[in-house]
């Protein structure tokens, strides 16, 4: 047995001292033999020396080290039995010298050490065999020979192991067990063979022992073939292990292709984790498991949607819930690989925390595998020291400070201590190993030009997986990919149309595969209410009829607080909770606010018939799309508003002149196609200018709105009512006969009168109407409108000249009257300056609020000359306008008497004033 070939110049002092001791002892034995040389049979000695020299070339390699085992030890044992002490020592030294010279790479100091160590081992074996104590205690020569072989093995192997221990700093016992102890049985077998040769020598002659040489050579060759086979198998295992490792690295590279931000992450984590593990005494299978886990610990992110992994910001609680599954999914994937070492437990637990606050199982302390504890701390260090989408990398010193603060909380203190001592050297080592790495991040932004279609054709219908084929982690990965694809398609579709109805319809169709629902309602905020803009699914009529006040019910609360609700109760929506006629079978609701640029614009609500049917995953998906959905709705609403303003009159809400011409052209085309008639009616409000002059344009606008609403309500559903401009309105009435049109005109006249009276309190308005019928009066829009307008002006001219004046002209006067407000302010005096049957105006400094009920007394002598009215308008410090509220024949008769009294009184005082004026 010989030593490996270290660099002798780099040996420590202890190793050099041990070498000197062995060489000194060996030289002493050789000098002693040289001084007392003797031989009983020189021929036998020479023969054994020659055979030993030949046998020294028959060597086998030792496992685990570069040392070898030679067959010549067998003849050294023969020499112990058959030769003298001097011959045996010489035989051992010469055979070892031949063995070392055959290995021409041996150096002088190593050669001297090997020869001297063999000399000492041979001397010890000879002394043990021939020791008188051994002869007395062991009568059996084979057992004594086995004892000598054991002494030879212990001396020779011990010297070699001690030198390696000094050189490499390994425990002596570990080296003996791992590298040398395996060969001990062969020494015992060699002792048996040596005993057999000795027996032949005594039974026959020493020459017959040479017959064992071919047998020994045959055994040697068989053993070499056996070791060669073992070496091939070992090489194959190493190749498979390397292939295994390259496969692991390829899988890790696949993860990098999904998350490009972690290209250097795996290399740094691997270096840190392995070095920390070595320092903590992790070895063998656990070290290999950590090596693989360091590369593959994030493989479960294949099951996490890509928009979460690459999110340029912090994760929402829902995103984090989805992210947490990567530990379990990754462990499930790796369990199917069936590693020969425990990789899956490390991956499953690498987000557990020392204090038990981690996930997925809340393990604490030493319950967490040592590999997971190391990987957790190293992963944390690398995460803070690397650039992320939402922050820049922190300096390594600050990272270590943060890591130390988590010692005993999130991380194993022993792991943190190793990192604290060695983080700078480990960082240098990681950078050194990353520098020559040729593995760059996978480039996925490529396009293959060839290949117009797959051999099986493009998809025509979706096919489900065969039952029993899908596994948990595969379904997670597939779901993540499908979700990412669906969200990508949805984001494209949402921006493809400016039509609000089309946008909401496409959204509901795309959403249902990702978040199943039985009913969907998209509410839009209009004023202080949420109005269902889009409804689909169960209970359509129920949800379409809802008008939800802001802040009330489930959807109102979501809009007001800008927070989602998961598995809420749909029946709390205002509008049907107390109405037994409105009942729904839906039992759970998921509602999220839709926030646009200007704030909350609505609420997206999904409903299911099962209780607690919605999950945090469903909420996460809705939150991911709600922002894009809100922007799409906001854009569609703006477009709708712009489109409406182009065709709608802003004041009355009716179609404008542009829309009128477009609709009239469409109706005429239909009439020509169906050979039907069409009536066009043009209306003009007489007396409208005086309302603007006397009451202002705001009151005039009120009149227009009231008349437009009344006109729209009295028309048929398919009639088209539009405002031509000013106080002109047009009605398009398909298929309306002449008689029905005349009757319709008579119904419309009181509408204008009523609108004016409601605003002004007087009959100031009337309506002129002109009609034209297709095809008698014209065949196109201009002809029909021109003819209807002409007839309308003819009717206006036929009215009396005072048509546009008051029905009851005001009487100018100056009479003192009493005002008795109903609110108990007391009697107020005022000057009546004008009066009519409908009302009057009184100059007074009293401040009376509009709407106040009041009694006017026109004569102090005659209390019956009084009228009840209400304050219509007030001009503080000047006067008030009063509208009389008494109606009926008796009230009208009384008003005529009041008017007569006021006129007579005014005439009396006017005449009296003139008389005094002339008498001067």
């Amino acid at each position: 047995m010989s030593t490996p070939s270290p660099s002798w110049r780099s040996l420590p002092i202890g190793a050099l001292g041990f070498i000197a001791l062995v060489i000194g002892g060996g030289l002493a034995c050789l000098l002693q033999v040289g001084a007392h040389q003797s031989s009983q049979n020189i021929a036998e000695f020479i023969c054994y020396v020659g055979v030993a020299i030949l046998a020294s070339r028959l060597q086998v390699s030792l496992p685990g080290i570069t040392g070898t085992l030679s067959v010549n030890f067998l003849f050294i044992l023969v020499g112990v039995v058959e030769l003298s002490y001097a011959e045996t020592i010489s035989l051992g030294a010469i055979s070892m010298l031949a063995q070392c010279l055959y290995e021409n790479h041996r150096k002088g100091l190593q050669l001297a050490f090997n020869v001297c160590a063999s000399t000492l081992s041979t001397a010890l074996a000879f002394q043990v065999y021939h020791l008188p104590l051994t002869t007395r205690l062991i009568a059996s020569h084979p057992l004594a020979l086995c004892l000598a072989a054991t002494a030879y093995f212990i001396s020779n192997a011990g010297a070699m192991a001690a030198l390696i221990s000094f050189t490499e700093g390994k425990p002596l016992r570990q080296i003996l067990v791992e590298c040398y102890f395996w060969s001990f049985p062969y020494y015992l077998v060699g002792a048996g063979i040596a005993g057999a040769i000795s027996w032949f020598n005594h039974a026959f002659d020493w020459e017959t022992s040479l017959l064992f040489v071919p047998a020994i050579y045959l055994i040697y060759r068989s053993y070499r073939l056996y070791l060669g086979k073992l070496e091939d198998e070992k090489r194959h295992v190493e190749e498979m292990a390397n292939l295994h490792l390259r496969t692991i690295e390829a899988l890790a590279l696949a993860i990098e292709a999904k998350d490009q931000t972690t290209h250097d992450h795996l290399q740094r984590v691997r270096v840190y984790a392995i070095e920390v593990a070595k320092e903590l005494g992790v070895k063998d299978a656990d070290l290999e498991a950590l090596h693989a886990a360091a590369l593959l610990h994030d493989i479960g992110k294949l099951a996490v949607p890509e928009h979460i992994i690459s999110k340029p910001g912090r994760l929402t609680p829902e995103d984090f819930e989805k992210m947490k599954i990567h530990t379990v999914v990754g462990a499930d994937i790796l369990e199917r690989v069936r590693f020969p070492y425990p990789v899956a437990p490390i991956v499953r637990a690498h987000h557990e925390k020392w204090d038990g606050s981690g996930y997925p199982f809340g393990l604490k302390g030493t319950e967490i595998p040592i590999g997971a504890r190391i990987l957790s701390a190293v992963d944390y260090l690398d995460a803070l020291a690397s650039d992320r989408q939402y922050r820049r990398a922190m300096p390594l010193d600050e990272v270590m400070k943060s890591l130390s603060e988590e010692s005993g909380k999130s991380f194993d203190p022993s792991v943190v201590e190793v990192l604290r001592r060695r983080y700078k050297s480990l960082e240098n080592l990681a950078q050194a190993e990353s520098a020559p790495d040729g593995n760059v991040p996978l480039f996925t932004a490529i396009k293959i030009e060839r290949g117009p279609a797959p051999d099986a054709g493009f998809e025509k219908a979706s096919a489900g997986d065969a039952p029993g084929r899908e596994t948990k982690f595969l379904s997670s990965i597939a779901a993540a990919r499908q979700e990412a694809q669906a969200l990508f398609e949805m984001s494209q579709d949402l921006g493809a149309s400016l039509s609000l109805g089309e946008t909401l319809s496409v959204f509901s169709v795309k959403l249902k595969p990702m978040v199943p629902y039985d009913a969907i309602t998209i509410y839009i905020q209009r004023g202080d209410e949420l109005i269902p803009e889009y409804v689909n699914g169960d209970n359509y009529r129920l949800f379409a009829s809802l008008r939800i006040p802001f802040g009330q019910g489930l959807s109102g609360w979501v809009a007001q607080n800008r927070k989602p609700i998961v598995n809420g109760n749909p029946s709390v929506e205002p509008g049907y909770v107390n109405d037994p006629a409105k009942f729904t079978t839906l039992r759970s609701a998921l509602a999220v606010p839709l926030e646009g640029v200007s704030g909350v614009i609505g609420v997206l609500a999904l409903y299911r018939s099962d209780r607690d049917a919605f999950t945090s995953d469903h909420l996460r998906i809705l939150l991911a799309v709600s922002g894009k959905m809100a922007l799409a709705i906001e854009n569609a609403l703006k477009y709708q508003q712009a489109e409406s303003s182009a065709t709608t009159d802003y004041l009355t809400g009716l179609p404008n002149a542009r829309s009128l011409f477009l609709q009239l052209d469409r109706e005429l085309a239909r009439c020509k196609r169906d050979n039907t008639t069409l009536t066009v009616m043009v209306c003009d409000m007489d007396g409208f200018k005086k309302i603007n002059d006397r009451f202002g344009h705001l009151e005039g606008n009120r009149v227009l709105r009231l008349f437009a609403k009344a006109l729209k309500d009295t028309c048929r559903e398919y009639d088209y009512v539009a405002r031509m401009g000013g106080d002109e309105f047009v009605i398009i009435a398909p298929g309306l006969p002449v008689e029905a049109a005349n009757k319709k005109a008579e119904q419309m006249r009181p509408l204008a009168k009523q609108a004016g009276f409601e605003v002004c309190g007087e009959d100031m308005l009337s309506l002129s109407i002109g009609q034209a019928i297709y095809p008698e009066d014209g065949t196109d829009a201009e002809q029909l409108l021109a003819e209807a307008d002409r007839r309308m002006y003819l009717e206006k001219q036929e009215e009396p000249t005072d048509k546009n004046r008051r029905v009851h002209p005001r009487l100018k006067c100056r009479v003192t009257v009493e005002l008795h407000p109903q609110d108990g302010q007391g009697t107020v005096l005022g000057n009546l300056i004008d009066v009519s049957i409908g009302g009057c105006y009184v100059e007074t400094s009293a401040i009376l609020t509009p709407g106040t009920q009041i009694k006017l007394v026109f004569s102090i002598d005659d209390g019956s000359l009084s009228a009840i009215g209400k304050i219509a308008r007030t001009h503080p410090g000047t006067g008030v306008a009063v509208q009389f509220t008494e109606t009926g024949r008796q009230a009208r008769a009384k008003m005529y008497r009041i008017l007569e009294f006021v006129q007579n009184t005014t005439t009396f005082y006017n005449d009296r004033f003139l008389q005094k004026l002339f008498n001067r």
Side-chain angles (χ1 to χ4, degrees), residues 67 194 215 362 379 413 620 634 730 796 843:
D379 198 25
R620 176 182 53 77
E634 203 167 35
V730 177
K796 187 185 291 288
E843 290 181 344

Side-chain angles (χ1 to χ4, degrees), residues 212-280:
F212 280 89
V213 174
I216 293 172
Y217 180 75
L218 181 62
I219 295 173
Y220 163 76
R221 290 303 301 173
S222 300
Y223 183 67
R224 280 299 299 267
L225 291 175
Y226 171 71
L227 286 184
K229 184 178 180 181
L230 289 180
E231 189 66 26
D232 291 340
E233 292 180 358
K234 179 182 176 182
R235 189 181 302 108
H236 176 70
V237 170
E238 290 177 351
E239 291 176 354
M240 293 303 296
N242 291 333
L243 178 61
H244 205 184
L245 183 59
R246 289 195 297 271
T247 303
I248 292 173
E249 292 174 348
L251 285 173
L253 195 61
I255 301 170
E256 292 182 27
K258 189 172 185 181
D259 184 6
Q260 292 288 348
T261 62
T262 61
H263 175 55
D264 295 328
H265 165 73
L266 296 175
Q267 184 70 7
R268 174 189 270 162
V269 169
R270 182 186 66 82
V271 172
Y272 271 72
I274 294 300
E275 294 301 319
V276 171
K278 290 178 180 178
E279 181 118 353
L280 293 176

Side-chain angles (χ1 to χ4, degrees), residues 461-473:
S462 60
D465 294 334
R469 300 272 312 268
E470 186 180 76
T471 61
K472 183 177 180 181
F473 71 85

Side-chain angles (χ1 to χ4, degrees), residues 831-909:
N831 292 323
L832 181 69
I833 62 173
D834 62 34
V835 64
S836 70
I837 292 178
C840 64
Y841 192 89
V842 179
E843 290 181 344
T844 179
S845 59
I847 299 177
L848 301 174
T849 59
T852 302
Q853 297 291 329
I854 193 170
K855 180 181 178 180
L856 282 85
V857 179
F858 295 91
S859 174
I860 300 175
D861 299 328
D862 186 356
S864 64
L865 295 178
S866 63
I868 304 299
K870 65 178 181 179
I871 303 299
R873 296 190 311 281
T874 181
H875 300 93
T878 302
V880 294
V882 180
Q883 177 183 349
F884 298 140
T885 57
E886 293 180 303
T887 59
R889 181 176 298 179
Q890 292 181 355
R892 184 177 289 271
K894 185 171 69 171
M895 287 306 304
Y896 279 124
R897 288 195 296 114
I898 292 173
L899 288 174
E900 184 180 0
F901 170 78
V902 170
Q903 186 176 12
N904 292 337
T905 302
T906 302
T907 302
F908 172 78
Y909 283 112

Side-chain angles (χ1 to χ4, degrees), residues 555-575:
S555 299
W557 185 93
V558 169
Q560 184 181 54
N561 295 278
R562 300 186 178 187
K563 294 181 179 180
I565 288 181
V566 183
N567 292 320
N569 185 0
S571 64
V572 302
E573 296 287 22

